[in-house]
Amino acid sequence: MEAQARSPLSVDVVTEFPEMIRGFLSESMIGRASRKGAVRFRIVNPRDFTEDKRHTTDDRPYGGGPGMIMLPDPLVRAVESVREEGSKVLLMTPSGKPFVQADAHRLAQERHLIFLCGHYEGIDDRVRQILQPEEISIGDYVLTNGALPAACVIDATVRLLPGVLGGDGATQDESFETGLLDFPQYTHPVEYRGLRVPEVLQSGDHAKIRAWRQEQAERITLERRPDLAAKAGLPRPPKPPKKRRHRKASETGSAPSHSRGPTTPETNTPL
């Protein structure tokens, strides 16, 4: 019996600035995944859920302070217009949990993702309280709006869907999949501006190539991401030198030597 084909992942992006995300969703690997039917995208604009003529989506914060805060009603209604049983709502916010590769694998197993993208100084906290989203951050820095980090999470997730990158092992050796950063990669020509492709990569010896790549990945991770290196147990303790086994004389194949005591020279006694 053939395995049932997996239904495409549905992704809704709630944002006030559709053009910031529209081009991204139609290009490169993401666009190919959509055209192949692995994922379906939809953009939802909260301005379509406003009641006034100006389609207002923000206002000044209570308590004072700089910037504008996004109104709760347009955002909540926008999400509710596409939310279904089993949908996962993701709020892109600097206050969220740091996004890592394991999260991309987890989200790739979902059937429907809704990305809620804020703007301006932030969103009314009642949006979070009502929708109970999973809060995600892509790093300790501030961006113009949530559409940009949403694009990062979408990319990291969609590329893990079956068939998007080709073979099943297409992502196995990438950075973070093994707990290490990636090893250096090279292509043609062999020499470029005095820099040559390492000889081991040209050797055809796959065991040596694997060992070189592992060594390089560990070195780069130690130098650039000591936090990842520590989790991976780096630096690894040096292997103890092999003990040399002394063979017995009988194992060498030579006859045992017998020690003799001192001998006295023969003397001729006169008759």
Side-chain angles (χ1 to χ4, degrees):
M1 183 176 178
E2 294 184 1
Q4 186 175 2
R6 171 172 172 159
S7 58
L9 171 64
S10 294
V11 176
D12 286 303
V13 183
V14 179
T15 175
E16 268 192 66
F17 300 93
E19 297 309 316
M20 292 190 71
I21 195 86
R22 199 185 306 279
F24 162 76
L25 297 178
S26 64
E27 294 293 333
S28 188
M29 177 271 299
I30 298 294
R32 290 195 301 272
S34 178
R35 290 188 288 273
K36 290 173 64 174
V39 61
R40 293 174 181 169
F41 295 115
R42 182 167 47 180
I43 300 175
V44 183
N45 193 333
R47 292 185 184 276
D48 295 335
F49 298 87
T50 56
E51 301 294 342
D52 64 318
K53 294 181 179 180
R54 297 183 60 186
H55 300 290
T56 304
T57 57
D58 62 296
D59 207 337
R60 297 187 181 278
Y62 274 109
M68 304 291 279
I69 304 299
M70 296 192 72
L71 297 168
D73 189 58
L75 291 175
V76 170
R77 290 175 59 196
V79 170
E80 290 178 342
S81 72
V82 294
R83 193 174 196 174
E84 302 171 352
E85 184 178 355
S87 299
K88 177 172 282 296
V89 182
L90 306 167
L91 173 61
M92 312 311 299
T93 168
S95 303
K97 173 182 172 290
F99 182 77
V100 295
Q101 187 67 14
D103 294 317
H105 280 279
R106 176 172 55 84
L107 295 180
Q109 302 304 313
E110 298 287 342
R111 298 270 41 90
H112 184 202
L113 301 176
I114 303 173
F115 288 85
L116 179 54
C117 307
H119 194 64
Y120 308 116
E121 196 65 24
I123 67 172
D124 188 300
D125 194 62
R126 288 168 292 188
V127 174
R128 182 187 61 80
Q129 296 176 44
I130 292 170
L131 297 178
Q132 295 291 305
E134 178 178 341
E135 300 177 54
I136 290 180
S137 169
I138 63 166
D140 296 338
Y141 48 88
V142 179
L143 296 173
T144 303
N145 63 55
L148 302 175
C152 294
V153 176
I154 291 171
D155 188 285
T157 300
V158 170
R159 66 197 309 278
L160 297 176
L161 297 177
V164 170
L165 289 184
D168 292 336
T171 65
Q172 289 180 359
D173 292 330
E174 295 181 319
S175 293
F176 308 113
E177 291 292 349
T178 61
L180 303 174
L181 299 181
D182 203 5
F183 47 79
Q185 298 276 18
Y186 296 85
T187 185
H188 296 285
V190 171
E191 182 172 341
Y192 179 69
R193 296 193 178 187
L195 300 174
R196 291 183 56 82
V197 176
E199 294 298 329
V200 64
L201 299 180
Q202 306 176 57
S203 68
D205 189 323
H206 297 293
K208 288 184 177 179
I209 291 173
R210 283 194 299 270
W212 181 88
R213 286 174 168 172
Q214 179 69 21
E215 178 184 332
Q216 293 297 310
E218 291 182 2
R219 175 186 62 80
I220 292 172
T221 304
L222 273 168
E223 291 176 354
R224 303 177 188 176
R225 290 292 302 275
D227 56 324
L228 292 178
K231 291 180 181 179
L234 300 176
R236 304 190 190 282
K239 294 182 179 180
K242 293 183 179 180
K243 294 182 179 180
R244 297 183 60 185
R245 188 169 66 91
H246 298 284
R247 294 186 295 176
K248 297 179 180 179
S250 59
E251 294 178 337
T252 64
S254 59
S257 59
H258 299 284
S259 59
R260 297 180 178 180
T263 57
T264 55
E266 295 183 356
T267 57
N268 294 325
T269 305
L271 296 175

